[in-house]
Amino acid sequence: MIDLKYLQNNFVEASAKLQKKGVESATLENLQILFKRLKESNAKLESMKAEQNAMSKLFGQYKKEGKDIGELKAKVDANKEAMLPVQEKAREAQEALYEVALAIPNFPDESVPEGANEEDNVELRKVLEPRSFGFKPKEHWELSQINGWIDFERGVKLAKSRFAILKGEASRLERALINFFLDINRKKGFEEYSVPFINNAMMLQGTGQLPKFGDDLFKIEDEDLYLIPTAEVPLTNMYNDEILSEKALPLLMTAYTPCFRKEAGSAGRDTRGIIRQHQFSKVEMVAIAHPDNSEEVFEMMVEHASDILSQLKLPHRVVELCGGDLGFSAARTIDLEVWLPGQNKYREISSVSNTRDFQARRAKIRFKDGNKNRLVHTLNGSALAVGRTIVAIMENYQNEDGTIEIPEVLKRYM
RNA sequence: CGGGAGAUGUCAGAGUGGUCGAAUGUGCCGGUCUUGAAAACCGGUGAGGGUAAUACCUCCGGGGGUUCGAAUCCCCCUCUCCCGGCCA
């Protein structure tokens, strides 16, 4: 959630920032009005409550002293009656404010380039040259057919479309990648976790998936529970509603989890192959950082993810997302896009974001700064998306006959 | 899923209708002492909102109710622990 006090006091600036993310200024004006209304009704309610409390105290005193309480009771009853509509109004103001506030995206950083969609993202650098093939490289789904790696039909039978089965060598490759990623993350200082793949609604609100993006989530029937769309949710929310000691920061965490996404609104996109599935494997990094140095942690995470791709000898490029392509919670995001020779395109394989205090405010994650409590900064990034790494290995390591080499660094894992 | 017990500050744990945001211990921070540390002693120390700062408001798992007044009484829910069932 954005800082409402900041919005209140710096409305023009705040509104200009959110314009980058396509938020109408009318929405913000409305939010400002709701905030003001809440403050007013709260002030009124609180003063009435103070009066009520004072009278109740008197009441006890009178009774003890044996004084007549008839008149006081009449006053207290009247005040109580008068308080009801004020209370109701304050409650409504609170609800109205939160409904709007929780749907406002994070402020983008000043450095975020202007732009409407991914066309306007800015390439920062390319890492490694794509190799030249002496033949026309195939797409991963063709290769999977040749090698018998992916069973699309039976995946669909078991669940529905956009579910697939990895078989044999491909399944082993997935396991190898998970281990490789976790090991390399651990060496970088990320503590490894194994977390629940199902989280409750409060946690999903903490990281920003709810209430606005419920349509993208698989919900457990009759329960207040959801399949996680990324390990960012459990890892970040481990510290939901906690106050950390300053010494503990930064907390660096990593976990492998399957991720479940409904992919609402992606109909027709990437329907062939395993680029976009309802369930996919991912190893995620999450950092809970001191607000003074979260940007350094961010750079470190980007470098680290890029380094993993380099170790796999996968050509990729580093891309800064423009305002329009930035996710809901992110102040800044850098994507790593891996080269897919079969598709003849760079495709996203990791996305590293600094959400600053946006998730921390929602999830109430704070740290002790002296004797005051301050919001932490939270960051997350894939290291890496496993399914897409398999695709990248298939396409980049293919031979003319369709067979696939295994990257050197993975050999000891297979 | 069935039976019993419970949910209070970092933790342990008192508190059964008013002066209780909450005893005491512990932890943590600061100080005295010490070459340094430990021990001992002294002081400080829950969270959120509000204010220029005070006032002031809210919070004793969550929601509702009774009452002038609820951590304390009543109802519902959730969770935890123990016993049994089922089970990796």
Side-chain angles (χ1 to χ4, degrees), chain A residues 131 149 173 393-394 397-399 403-407 411:
Chain A
R131 73 177 249 227
W149 275 19
L173 178 59
I393 288 170
M394 289 170 84
Y397 281 82
Q398 63 178 295
N399 300 314
T403 55
I404 296 156
E405 304 291 327
I406 295 299
K411 283 189 175 152

Side-chain angles (χ1 to χ4, degrees), chain A residues 295-309:
Chain A
E295 220 39 34
E296 289 161 40
V297 176
F298 178 73
E299 299 294 340
M300 178 276 279
M301 286 165 74
V302 173
E303 279 315 304
H304 179 61
S306 171
D307 183 51
I308 298 174
L309 283 169

Side-chain angles (χ1 to χ4, degrees), chain A residues 138-354:
Chain A
K138 298 177 184 64
E139 296 209 35
H140 78 278
W141 47 267
E142 292 179 83
L143 294 163
S144 103
Q145 215 160 26
I146 294 168
N147 293 282
W149 275 19
I150 309 171
D151 188 337
F152 293 101
E153 291 77 12
R154 291 195 179 93
V156 173
K157 176 166 77 180
L158 289 177
K160 63 173 193 169
S161 67
R162 291 193 192 273
F163 285 91
I165 297 166
L166 296 184
K167 186 180 164 193
E169 191 86 340
S171 179
R172 288 176 59 218
L173 178 59
E174 175 177 59
R175 187 153 52 85
L177 282 169
I178 292 165
N179 283 328
F180 170 60
F181 293 157
L182 286 172
D183 281 350
I184 200 169
N185 291 350
R186 200 183 62 231
K187 280 181 202 137
K188 191 73 190 173
F190 290 84
E191 182 90 43
E192 182 180 337
Y193 291 90
S194 184
V195 294
F197 303 157
I198 295 175
N199 282 194
N200 64 47
M202 192 57 85
M203 302 305 120
L204 283 136
Q205 180 175 303
T207 29
Q209 285 78 17
L210 288 179
K212 208 178 172 187
F213 305 103
D215 288 349
D216 292 323
L217 300 169
F218 287 99
K219 186 176 190 303
I220 308 290
E221 196 179 8
D222 297 328
E223 302 268 4
D224 183 38
L225 297 169
Y226 298 80
L227 297 182
I228 56 170
T230 159
E232 168 198 340
V233 177
L235 287 178
T236 307
N237 282 294
M238 276 180 22
Y239 298 98
N240 190 299
D241 200 19
E242 291 194 23
I243 300 171
L244 304 161
S245 89
E246 188 173 3
K247 279 182 284 188
L249 304 178
L251 282 161
L252 304 177
M253 300 169 265
T254 186
Y256 153 74
T257 71
C259 302
F260 302 91
R261 299 185 184 177
K262 279 203 172 166
E263 295 295 342
S266 304
R269 292 181 68 190
D270 304 309
T271 47
R272 198 132 202 205
I274 57 164
I275 286 280
R276 195 176 299 276
Q277 296 279 290
H278 287 310
Q279 176 187 326
F280 60 94
S281 294
K282 181 158 63 68
V283 174
E284 183 78 358
M285 334 174 247
V286 163
I288 295 192
H290 194 290
D292 295 348
N293 65 12
S294 72
E295 220 39 34
E296 289 161 40
V297 176
F298 178 73
E299 299 294 340
M300 178 276 279
M301 286 165 74
V302 173
E303 279 315 304
H304 179 61
S306 171
D307 183 51
I308 298 174
L309 283 169
S310 296
Q311 290 205 32
L312 288 165
K313 299 207 163 44
L314 290 171
H316 58 283
R317 59 176 195 163
V318 183
V319 175
E320 173 108 38
L321 297 200
C322 72
D325 203 26
L326 215 53
F328 179 74
S329 297
R332 217 192 142 187
T333 297
I334 287 180
D335 274 5
L336 299 184
E337 296 181 347
V338 70
W339 175 248
L340 297 185
Q343 288 198 8
N344 198 36
K345 264 188 213 157
Y346 283 99
R347 296 298 307 260
E348 178 187 336
I349 196 165
S350 173
S351 187
V352 182
S353 297
N354 188 351

Side-chain angles (χ1 to χ4, degrees), chain A residues 21-78:
Chain A
K21 273 204 177 174
V23 178
E24 307 275 336
S25 68
T27 309
L28 290 174
E29 272 161 37
N30 181 35
L31 183 65
Q32 200 183 22
I33 290 164
L34 290 170
F35 186 51
K36 217 173 138 194
R37 189 177 298 163
L38 175 66
K39 282 179 82 168
E40 281 164 6
S41 53
N42 266 347
K44 193 169 170 196
L45 177 65
E46 282 179 15
S47 74
M48 287 178 95
K49 274 190 174 167
E51 211 178 317
Q52 186 79 359
N53 288 343
M55 284 193 285
S56 285
K57 246 176 202 173
L58 254 189
F59 199 102
Q61 229 174 64
Y62 277 25
K63 265 200 130 168
K64 208 185 261 175
E65 294 166 6
K67 285 192 191 165
D68 176 48
I69 52 169
E71 199 185 330
L72 184 60
K73 175 146 167 58
K75 259 170 81 179
V76 129
D77 283 343

